[in-house]
Amino acid sequence: MKLICIGRNYTDHIKELENEKPTDPVVFLKPDTAILLKKQPFFIPDFSDDVHHEVEILVKINKVGKHIQKKFASKYYDQIGLGIDFTARDLQRQLKEKGLPWEKAKAFDGAAVIGDWLDKTRFPDVDNLNFSLRKNETLVQQGNTSHMLWKIDEIIEYVSKYFTLKIGDIIFTGTPAGVGKVVANDKLVGCIENTQMFSITVK
Ligand code: ZN
């Protein structure tokens, strides 16, 4: 399985990193080895002094598809989750400056937190979901999927032009503003609406 990630999908986050607003979605992949194992702490890798949390709504693909049209996209997932796209921001900055791929900064072991899954039928509208991240009980990130530049169905249409989507693939849909550094002993708790989706400790 693969993790397909969308970058720069919320205007407020684009501004905070002083990035340009993209004309197409920014897409990158993480391998399955990036998934943080359940109940394990996240270990800050020794090659970075500036690992950031990026809380993101996740979508789990339940059907094989290629060139999926937006109007059919909702048939390709029935579960919504929440996760963290951990990013070694210092390394990513160096790679960006040189125009190099981001994998070393984003696809390292443990860099993908995947929380619990919820049936999408539980929500009246997946394009109007509130989600949040608390760090040591302080609210640090808060988003609503209505603020995505590319909504879930549009993301599925776009990425399936390039990659065949397979059962179990997971899409990370981008992060809202409030990304920030994690340090040892931080506790990160993510919620969709009022439901806790994950809780992890940083080491
Ligand atoms: Zn991200």
Side-chain angles (χ1 to χ4, degrees):
M1 58 87 75
K2 56 191 175 291
L3 309 175
I4 302 170
C5 308
I6 303 299
R8 302 180 197 168
N9 202 21
Y10 288 84
T11 310
D12 55 352
H13 171 62
I14 294 170
K15 281 187 196 143
E16 77 178 344
L17 291 189
E18 297 176 343
N19 282 320
E20 279 174 37
K21 197 169 162 177
T23 50
D24 285 298
V26 173
V27 180
F28 56 94
L29 301 181
K30 298 195 191 217
D32 56 6
T33 46
I35 297 170
L36 185 68
L37 297 176
K38 288 276 180 224
K39 302 202 176 4
Q40 292 301 304
F42 170 74
F43 287 93
I44 297 172
D46 58 9
F47 51 76
S48 176
D49 292 317
D50 195 22
V51 172
H52 281 197
H53 54 76
E54 297 191 353
V55 71
E56 314 200 354
I57 289 285
L58 311 183
V59 176
K60 194 194 273 183
I61 298 299
N62 65 359
K63 202 152 77 164
V64 176
K66 171 92 178 160
H67 292 301
I68 300 162
Q69 291 177 51
K70 184 180 149 190
K71 61 181 175 188
F72 300 123
S74 66
K75 297 183 191 305
Y76 287 80
Y77 65 98
D78 47 26
Q79 288 187 299
I80 298 286
L82 193 73
I84 297 179
D85 163 23
F86 274 121
T87 304
R89 195 71 71 201
D90 42 1
L91 190 50
Q92 188 196 27
R93 217 163 264 140
Q94 293 169 21
L95 295 167
K96 266 187 190 170
E97 276 166 18
K98 294 179 185 158
L100 293 171
W102 296 355
E103 274 79 1
K104 288 195 288 181
K106 288 220 177 240
F108 56 88
D109 288 2
V113 174
I114 296 170
D116 297 334
W117 294 98
L118 298 173
D119 208 286
K120 75 173 179 197
T121 54
R122 157 179 187 143
F123 306 109
D125 182 5
V126 294
D127 293 327
N128 184 12
L129 291 179
N130 290 299
F131 60 101
S132 64
L133 183 73
R134 284 185 162 71
K135 183 165 76 176
N136 308 325
E137 280 155 34
T138 302
L139 182 67
V140 286
Q141 288 195 267
Q142 197 170 23
N144 183 291
T145 52
S146 65
H147 298 143
M148 289 179 174
L149 296 177
W150 286 276
K151 304 290 188 292
I152 292 172
D153 291 354
E154 291 168 323
I155 292 171
I156 289 174
E157 178 176 69
Y158 187 82
V159 299
S160 71
K161 287 181 197 172
Y162 298 89
F163 316 118
T164 295
L165 300 185
K166 295 180 75 175
I167 296 168
D169 286 351
I170 294 171
I171 301 176
F172 280 65
T173 60
T175 194
V179 301
K181 181 174 175 168
V182 295
V183 296
N185 300 316
D186 278 348
K187 192 183 169 198
L188 301 168
V189 175
C191 291
I192 296 180
E193 301 293 348
N194 293 318
T195 305
Q196 185 177 314
M197 305 299 286
F198 62 77
S199 169
I200 61 157
T201 307
V202 178
K203 299 273 182 188

